[in-house]
């Protein structure tokens, strides 16, 4: 089991899968039970449950 990462608002994270626009860098714009992230390539935003987000995130790039 992988260790829990701690996330803060405005962190830039790398996801395991690439977004269709060609980048896999996302900025966290909302935290809670659900997490909203915004693509840094095309500004598309996605909201997903925290549990699903923790499975899909690869690493924190900048805080």
């Amino acid at each position: 089991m992988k260790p829990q990462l701690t996330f803060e608002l405005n962190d830039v994270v790398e996801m395991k899968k690439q977004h269709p626009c060609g980048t896999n860098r996302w900025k966290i714009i909302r935290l809670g039970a659900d997490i909203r992230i915004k693509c840094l390539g095309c500004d598309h935003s996605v909201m997903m449950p925290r549990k699903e987000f923790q499975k899909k995130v690869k690493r924190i790039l900048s805080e």
Side-chain angles (χ1 to χ4, degrees), residues 3-37:
Q4 288 292 86
L5 295 172
T6 55
F7 307 105
E8 300 289 329
L9 205 57
N10 296 319
D11 281 358
V12 177
V13 296
E14 182 181 354
M15 303 302 277
K16 289 179 182 174
K17 284 190 173 179
Q18 198 173 37
H19 191 247
C21 75
T23 186
N24 60 354
R25 295 182 49 186
W26 298 77
K27 183 176 184 177
I28 299 174
I29 57 174
R30 183 187 184 281
L31 284 173
D34 294 328
I35 294 180
R36 182 179 292 274
I37 54 178

Side-chain angles (χ1 to χ4, degrees), residues 42-54:
C42 64
D43 285 340
H44 179 79
S45 70
V46 176
M47 184 177 270
M48 65 180 73
R50 181 179 288 262
K51 193 171 187 176
E52 180 182 338
F53 175 77
Q54 288 174 334

